[in-house]
């Protein structure tokens, strides 16, 4: 029972982090905002490292 509760708490924390990231992306006003927050660059680098660019 405790293992199940620990798993649920872990998943909730992961979902919370994802929601915070998606919410921050909603607050982007323009391309400059996108670049300054680092999302544009990090996503591009991530795609290059994964071979998806």
């Amino acid at each position: 029972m405790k293992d199940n509760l620990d798993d649920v708490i872990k998943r909730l924390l992961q979902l919370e982090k994802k929601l915070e990231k998606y919410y921050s992306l909603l607050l982007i006003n323009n391309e400059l905002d996108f670049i300054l927050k680092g999302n544009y660059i990090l996503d591009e680098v991530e795609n290059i490292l994964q071979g998806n660019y």
Side-chain angles (χ1 to χ4, degrees), residues 10-20 22:
K10 182 179 177 182
R11 291 192 65 182
L12 281 173
L13 291 174
Q14 290 172 344
L15 287 172
E16 181 182 14
K17 288 179 187 177
K18 286 181 182 180
L19 282 173
E20 286 174 359
Y22 294 140

Side-chain angles (χ1 to χ4, degrees), residues 2-41:
K2 183 167 172 34
D3 291 335
N4 288 340
L5 184 58
D6 289 340
D7 289 340
V8 168
I9 291 172
K10 182 179 177 182
R11 291 192 65 182
L12 281 173
L13 291 174
Q14 290 172 344
L15 287 172
E16 181 182 14
K17 288 179 187 177
K18 286 181 182 180
L19 282 173
E20 286 174 359
K21 180 180 178 180
Y22 294 140
Y23 182 73
S24 72
L25 292 174
L26 288 174
L27 296 176
I28 293 173
N29 295 324
N30 55 33
E31 185 71 19
L32 182 59
D33 236 5
F34 195 62
I35 292 170
L36 290 176
K37 288 185 178 182
N39 295 324
Y40 179 77
I41 295 169

